[in-house]
Amino acid sequence: MPTDSPAPADTPRTPPAPAAQVPAPFPERAALPDPGPAPTLRDPDARAPGPGGPPPATPRGYRAVFAVAEFRAVFAAHLLSLLGVVVSELALTVLVYDLTGSPLLSALTFALGLLPYIVGGTLLAGVADRYPARRVLVVCDLLCAACVAVMLVPATPVAGLLALRCLVAAIAPVFTGTRMAALTDILGEGDLYVLGRSLLRIVSQSAMLIGFGTGGMLLTVLSPRGAITVTVVTFLCSAALLRFGTQDRPARAGTGEGAGGTLLKESLSGARLVLGDRRIRALLLLFWLPAMFVVAPEALAAPYADAIGASPAALGLLLCAMAVGHIGAELFVGSALSPRNRSRIVLPVAAVGLLPLLVYAARPGLPLALAALALAGAGAAYVIGLDQWFVDAVPQELRGRAMTLLTAGLMTVQGLGMALAGLAAEFFPVHQVVAGSGIIGTVCTLLLVVEVRRTDPRRMPYTEERDGADRHVTSR
């Protein structure tokens, strides 16, 4: 974004010129310590131009993000750990089924990867701001590696395997929220942060396509526990990359409500402050609600494929189509659109992003269903601009807890959306359930778009903006 710091609290405000970002409504942010110089956008090892020589071209777009050495370490760690997690999920599901012969327990293994997110994201969120980010990230990786290592012990019972799976899932939102907040230290709060988050999302989507295929191939040559061993190695490599590839920065929460109290108190007070602010709450819901409804066709892909007489290969295409659409749209928006234009498309794209699911009302065949899913996946590209709005709206001392809550809520609502879609499919045809998700989700999103527009600081009177910020955030 053009500027990363708001005007001092005692500076008279004038209507800002239209810009790609939404100014943060928290005047107290001006009193925070200077975060230091912005990260360099060139490789520090690059040679300076000689006398009279042309200046080196400054990297732009995604290349500029990769020019930051610390981000390269974060990116590599994310790629390794994510692939390991996907492989272990598949291998653990097979292992539990081999040990019990129970489809229910095998399916529960997947579900336990989502359910604990809300617990860890709510009760442990204070960790993200209370301790230095690098320490939190490395310790989270080591704890996950230890949990997975215990899974490899043949004497570990099935109940123990499921409990360890829950523990890893409870740690995940703390790790993700801390990393998201740390990216603002590594890349700044402007366009580099937005593109960095975009790259991590693209990796996450790609890992779902590559990881399950890799896991399937590993299981043809290794036992389930042998495949799970890969995850231990990836977690340890991730910890090493983060430990030696990123700087050690001080903890974020040195002041503010809840600082210095117990971890649980800090976590809950952070959640109360985040959810109590009208602007931040509206932005969180704009992340969550569309995601809750868009998972319906994925959750019901198997019964829909059966209903239209599609082959198992077609089922794989139905499961991949949305991710392919998401990756393609995010790459286009991140590389082809300016920050101003990415901001402009947030609300329009969010408002119509679920409409492609209405195609299911006609019970389409495979080609049309794949096209609708790819378009629905492309609708998620609005998030790249929403990232900038969110980081602008959240004060620095709450950023780790806010982003941990964002991650936990996102995973939880997706799990809830899958469960509700499955429940509805017990009473209605699958194609009607998917179309209904598109209709209900669009109505809810439109209402939410109105709320986000109302809370835009550029549209609010100065006194309402000031009073809202004081009421919700400053109670010191």
Side-chain angles (χ1 to χ4, degrees):
M1 65 181 179
T3 58
D4 291 338
S5 301
D10 55 354
T11 302
R13 301 194 182 190
T14 57
Q21 78 281 5
V22 178
F26 298 98
E28 70 272 21
R29 291 180 64 191
L32 294 174
D34 189 324
T40 178
L41 301 187
R42 291 193 296 114
D43 191 326
D45 297 328
R47 295 184 179 180
T58 301
R60 304 187 64 175
Y62 288 118
R63 290 180 57 203
V65 182
F66 278 118
V68 181
E70 279 190 272
F71 178 79
R72 294 197 297 269
V74 172
F75 181 86
H78 177 61
L79 178 61
L80 282 173
S81 62
L82 192 58
L83 284 174
V85 166
V86 174
V87 170
S88 70
E89 285 180 345
L90 181 59
L92 186 59
T93 301
V94 174
L95 176 61
V96 170
Y97 185 74
D98 287 346
L99 293 174
T100 65
S102 168
L104 174 62
L105 289 177
S106 179
L108 186 61
T109 305
F110 266 116
L112 291 177
L114 297 176
L115 298 178
Y117 262 76
I118 192 64
V119 177
T122 302
L123 302 184
L124 302 178
V127 171
D129 289 322
R130 187 172 189 171
Y131 302 102
R134 188 177 73 176
R135 186 190 310 172
V136 173
L137 295 174
V138 172
V139 169
C140 284
D141 267 339
L142 294 178
L143 286 175
C144 290
C147 290
V148 177
V150 176
M151 294 180 186
L152 300 176
V153 178
T156 305
V158 172
L161 293 174
L162 297 179
L164 290 167
R165 179 78 175 97
C166 285
L167 185 55
V168 172
I171 294 171
V174 178
F175 179 90
T176 305
T178 303
R179 185 186 60 209
M180 288 169 62
L183 280 183
T184 62
D185 300 324
I186 295 171
L187 300 174
E189 299 178 6
D191 195 48
L192 285 187
Y193 166 79
V194 172
L195 294 177
R197 283 277 297 129
S198 171
L199 283 170
L200 296 185
R201 264 196 307 272
I202 291 170
V203 169
S204 299
Q205 292 290 326
S206 302
M208 298 303 294
L209 303 177
I210 300 171
F212 284 126
T214 302
M217 289 188 293
L218 284 175
L219 288 172
T220 63
V221 296
L222 298 174
S223 67
R225 281 195 169 91
I228 293 173
T229 305
V230 173
T231 303
V232 180
V233 176
T234 58
F235 276 133
L236 292 177
C237 290
S238 174
L241 283 167
L242 294 170
R243 171 61 181 81
F244 299 107
T246 61
Q247 296 181 21
D248 188 18
R249 296 178 174 86
R252 184 170 287 101
T255 60
E257 183 173 335
T262 65
L263 175 60
L264 180 61
K265 179 181 177 182
E266 286 187 22
S267 301
L268 294 178
S269 68
R272 178 175 60 82
L273 290 172
V274 169
L275 294 175
D277 180 81
R278 183 181 176 187
R279 173 66 175 174
I280 300 176
R281 184 173 63 246
L283 296 178
L284 280 172
L285 289 173
L286 195 56
F287 279 107
W288 292 345
L289 275 181
M292 178 179 177
F293 291 99
V294 81
V295 296
E298 291 182 321
L300 301 175
Y304 187 74
D306 181 64
I308 63 174
S311 65
L315 172 59
L317 292 176
L318 288 171
L319 290 171
C320 294
M322 196 174 292
V324 170
H326 186 168
I327 292 169
E330 183 127 9
L331 283 172
F332 172 78
V333 171
S335 58
L337 299 186
S338 66
R340 175 188 295 270
N341 287 331
R342 290 200 295 266
S343 183
R344 285 176 173 172
I345 69 170
V346 170
L347 297 183
V349 173
V352 302
L354 295 172
L355 290 179
L357 298 185
L358 271 62
V359 170
Y360 272 75
R363 199 171 178 266
L366 183 63
L368 191 54
L370 291 176
L373 291 173
L375 285 174
Y382 78 92
V383 175
I384 193 171
L386 187 59
D387 277 333
Q388 183 67 73
W389 293 4
F390 190 71
V391 78
D392 287 341
V394 178
Q396 184 177 355
E397 69 271 17
L398 281 175
R399 197 165 287 158
R401 283 167 285 182
M403 293 182 174
T404 301
L405 185 64
L406 166 61
T407 301
L410 187 60
M411 297 300 292
T412 301
V413 298
Q414 289 183 86
L416 180 60
M418 291 180 180
L420 291 175
L423 178 62
E426 292 289 329
F427 303 97
F428 302 98
V430 171
H431 67 283
Q432 292 182 6
V433 173
V434 176
S437 296
I439 294 172
I440 298 172
T442 298
V443 172
C444 293
T445 303
L446 287 173
L447 295 174
L448 190 54
V449 164
V450 173
E451 174 66 6
V452 172
R453 288 175 62 87
R454 285 175 177 170
T455 60
D456 186 339
R458 293 172 298 183
R459 298 175 179 270
M460 297 168 63
Y462 167 67
T463 54
E464 181 182 351
E465 176 186 343
R466 180 199 61 202
D467 294 344
D470 293 343
R471 178 173 62 253
H472 293 309
V473 174
T474 57
S475 55
R476 310 173 196 157

